[in-house]
Amino acid sequence: MEYFGYLASILIGITLGLIGGGGSILTVPILVYLFQINPENATSYSLFIVGVTAMFGSYRHYQLGNLQIKSALYFAIPSVLSLLFVRKLVLPNIPESLFSIGQLEITKNLLIMFVFGILMVAASLSMIRKSKGEQIESTLNIPRLAFIGFLVGFVTGFLGAGGGFLIIPALLFFANLPMKQAVGTSLFIIFINSLIGFTGDLINGITINYQLLFTVTAIAIIGMLIGTQLSKKIDGAKLKPAFGWFVLVMGLYIITKELFLK
């Protein structure tokens, strides 16, 4: 299964480079189901893989003039605070066994994967749904941007997902950024959140298989470079709904597997 895992890892970078988000939503399922990594540890691996991959992407967008540091910081500061709170105080204190429903035991790992499946379904719907021409605010709405940043930090901390499907709409509607700048700024925020979260995990003493971590990260970066090149020829906005359907199927599979196929 590891060979399939390495092959699938390239999709992480391709989707990030091609449509500006969505790749991170694949990372935890790839790590859990193809590399057999414990779900809680997989969230830590995901933070590093997604963070480094997003770093390369954000630097490319910086070169293109698509990075808005001011909006990124308004979003990232509360996001980092909530992320560190979750990684340090919430996640470690969730008991391994929570409760039982009939014959089904709800464990910490099951909870992580179930919530991740729900997140994938929600993300897929946002990608499938076509824009209805929402009114973009004419000025920077700092309180709303910071509040959504706080929520995204919570999601990132608990699930190890970058939250690009939440970040990009927030930057569009509350920071008044064009789409290309929203994509570049989103990658920069994901980079900050993810690597700070991973650093916190290292400080907390998590055990890491560095050979696997660096290999998957390197493959994802190659995917990012491929996706960036493809984005010059393929309209990512047209591919986003198709990718959304794929994520929807994946999310429903994870929910079904965790609840009924144990």
Side-chain angles (χ1 to χ4, degrees):
M1 294 297 286
E2 285 191 5
Y3 292 108
F4 290 107
Y6 290 127
L7 184 62
S9 297
I10 202 167
L11 294 176
I12 298 169
I14 288 177
T15 51
L16 278 170
L18 191 57
I19 66 177
S24 60
I25 208 76
L26 300 176
T27 311
V28 169
I30 288 172
L31 292 168
V32 172
Y33 296 127
L34 298 181
F35 291 108
Q36 306 301 315
I37 295 176
N38 175 280
E40 184 175 358
N41 288 349
T43 65
S44 296
Y45 282 61
S46 176
L47 288 173
F48 181 86
I49 295 165
V50 171
V52 173
T53 306
M55 177 183 68
F56 278 83
S58 63
Y59 177 70
R60 176 58 179 158
H61 280 278
Y62 171 77
Q63 292 177 315
L64 297 173
N66 292 334
L67 186 57
Q68 295 295 313
I69 299 295
K70 182 179 179 181
S71 297
L73 291 179
Y74 282 132
F75 193 103
I77 291 173
S79 188
V80 165
L81 293 176
S82 62
L83 182 152
L84 292 176
F85 172 76
V86 171
R87 301 299 294 184
K88 178 66 176 179
L89 299 177
V90 177
L91 201 58
N93 290 314
I94 298 176
E96 293 299 326
S97 180
L98 299 172
F99 55 89
S100 297
I101 303 176
Q103 299 296 318
L104 177 64
E105 180 185 8
I106 306 300
T107 64
K108 181 179 184 177
N109 288 336
L110 187 151
L111 176 66
I112 291 173
M113 294 309 298
F114 176 77
V115 174
F116 203 94
I118 295 295
L119 177 68
M120 292 184 76
V121 171
S124 70
L125 295 178
S126 73
M127 286 184 272
I128 293 169
R129 187 178 61 242
K130 293 183 179 180
S131 172
K132 297 182 180 179
E134 294 95 333
Q135 181 65 40
I136 298 177
E137 300 194 14
S138 59
T139 58
L140 177 64
N141 192 321
I142 296 174
R144 290 187 184 180
L145 196 61
F147 177 70
I148 295 177
F150 180 86
L151 295 180
V152 169
F154 192 93
V155 171
T156 303
F158 187 70
L159 299 175
F165 79 101
L166 293 173
I167 297 173
I168 290 177
L171 294 173
L172 287 173
F173 301 122
F174 302 135
N176 195 29
L177 297 183
M179 184 62 187
K180 287 186 178 180
Q181 291 187 1
V183 170
T185 305
S186 171
L187 288 173
F188 183 69
I189 294 169
I190 291 170
F191 154 61
I192 293 175
N193 278 2
S194 299
L195 289 189
I196 288 179
F198 179 76
T199 301
D201 287 353
L202 287 182
I203 293 172
N204 290 336
I206 187 172
T207 302
I208 299 291
N209 180 342
Y210 286 100
Q211 181 178 353
L212 173 63
L213 182 67
F214 292 153
T215 302
V216 173
T217 302
I219 294 172
I221 291 171
I222 293 171
M224 167 67 80
L225 298 176
I226 294 172
T228 302
Q229 291 300 314
L230 288 175
S231 68
K232 298 177 182 179
K233 302 177 181 179
I234 304 174
D235 186 357
K238 293 181 179 179
L239 290 179
K240 188 172 289 187
F243 182 71
W245 284 107
F246 172 72
V247 173
L248 176 62
V249 172
M250 285 283 294
L252 293 175
Y253 168 77
I254 289 173
I255 293 171
T256 303
K257 183 178 187 304
E258 294 299 322
L259 293 181
F260 305 111
L261 300 180
K262 285 292 186 179

